[in-house]
Amino acid sequence: MGQAGQQRSKQKKICNKKTVKVKKTGEKKTPKLRKNIQPGQVLILLASKFRGRRVVFLKQLESGLLLVTGPYSLNGVPVKRVNQRYCIATSTKVNLGGADFKSISDAYFAREKAKKGAQTQEKFFATEAPKKVLPQEKKDGQKKLDEPIVKGLAEDMKSYLKSRFSLSARTFPHEMKF
Amino acid sequence: MPGGHVGYQGSSLKINPSVRNKGTQIAPTGHGTDPVRLFVKGVFMAYKGGKKNQVNHTQLIKLQDVNSKEATQFYLGKRLAYIYKAQKPNKEGSRFRVIWGKVTRSHGNSGVVRAKFKKNLPPKALGKKVRCMLYPSSI
């Protein structure tokens, strides 16, 4: 005496044969940006080396990741990509002051492709991997980007961005208003 | 996947399983290193089940100060981490191991939550702490 009557008599759905749009291979949609995330918004990073840091949101990149910056001089967070799901948007907004980040896209963060050339004797026997140093132009670009933002910040906002978010004994996120 | 990070950042206890300095303390950086807690504390109460049955693939977690069904809404989908210590250190020198899971739904009316972990939690974890991270975030 197996199945319940409701299960057995479940009506079969008759699918309407709709014309299905053929997706072009490689066509990707940029994931939706949460409504409360606007350029200049302060976000709290939830994971990674910089968890707890408050950062300034710049723009959403094509891949859907969010472009953020510390600014570097305030909290050590460089220009960085962050997934929406790994940050909390606060209601605090910062004036970006015309900072120029139009040139930064996903390509800026691409890894340097190791040149698959002839493996020289030295390379093969090298015991230490060459150190990956951030190129000077990226460091300069970081400074240039942060300048107008930092200029427009009040002292209390600067210390706010320097500080880190943390849950304490009596604070619970489901009761908090960010 | 940033799944490796569970620790208090900047604390002297080397909890972070993916810390690269082997066996040494996390060196303080110039930008403040007080411990930062970005998870909600929880306790692994029980496996799902009734008087005679136990369903091992679903765990019941009690999150701190979540006392009603409405309050659990925030935590649905959040990642959970059961952290335990082992004898042998891993590649990065950490002795801490993690079993990851997520909050699947609420359980009852008083804020208990059901969870599923990648591997079922071992029974020695009963009564032990579980961390509910704040990601994936929807706020």
Side-chain angles (χ1 to χ4, degrees), chain A residues 34 36 45-47 49 51-53 74-76 85-89 164-168 172-175 178, chain B residues 2 5 7-9 16 31-40 64-66 71 74-75 134-139:
Chain A
R34 287 208 292 265
N36 55 350
L45 298 182
L46 294 175
K49 179 172 154 191
R51 72 196 84 119
R53 300 260 181 226
L74 291 180
N75 51 23
R85 288 292 187 179
Y86 290 86
C87 45
I88 294 179
R164 295 166 70 174
F165 173 78
S166 176
L167 293 173
S168 72
F172 304 103
H174 66 274
E175 291 168 355
F178 290 96
Chain B
H5 302 268
Y8 287 97
Q9 185 156 32
N16 192 328
H31 292 279
T33 48
D34 295 332
V36 164
R37 175 164 71 88
L38 285 165
F39 56 85
V40 174
Q64 194 178 34
D65 210 57
V66 178
F74 173 86
Y75 297 96
L134 297 177
Y135 50 82
S137 152
S138 43
I139 43 167

Side-chain angles (χ1 to χ4, degrees), chain A residues 63-175:
Chain A
S63 60
L65 300 173
L66 309 182
L67 183 70
V68 296
T69 182
Y72 184 75
S73 53
L74 291 180
N75 51 23
V77 181
V79 144
K80 193 175 155 54
R81 291 188 299 179
V82 163
N83 191 318
Q84 270 189 71
R85 288 292 187 179
Y86 290 86
C87 45
I88 294 179
T90 62
S91 52
T92 313
K93 234 178 152 189
V94 150
N95 187 3
L96 287 176
D100 177 34
F101 41 84
K102 270 189 235 157
S103 56
I104 304 181
S105 68
D106 287 302
Y108 177 92
F109 299 98
R111 288 205 189 155
E112 262 185 49
K113 285 193 181 167
K115 288 184 186 164
K116 277 189 181 176
Q119 266 196 338
T120 55
Q121 287 251 322
E122 305 141 17
K123 256 199 203 171
F124 194 73
F125 290 108
T127 43
E128 280 180 35
K131 270 194 171 179
K132 288 189 186 159
V133 182
L134 195 67
Q136 188 60 35
E137 49 178 44
K138 281 199 174 173
K139 289 188 188 172
D140 294 337
Q142 175 76 51
K143 266 195 199 163
K144 219 179 105 195
L145 172 66
D146 286 344
E147 243 188 84
I149 303 175
V150 177
K151 256 197 208 165
L153 292 177
E155 269 314 303
D156 55 348
M157 185 55 77
K158 279 192 190 163
S159 49
Y160 176 66
L161 289 176
K162 270 196 187 172
S163 65
R164 295 166 70 174
F165 173 78
S166 176
L167 293 173
S168 72
R170 269 174 238 105
T171 56
F172 304 103
H174 66 274
E175 291 168 355

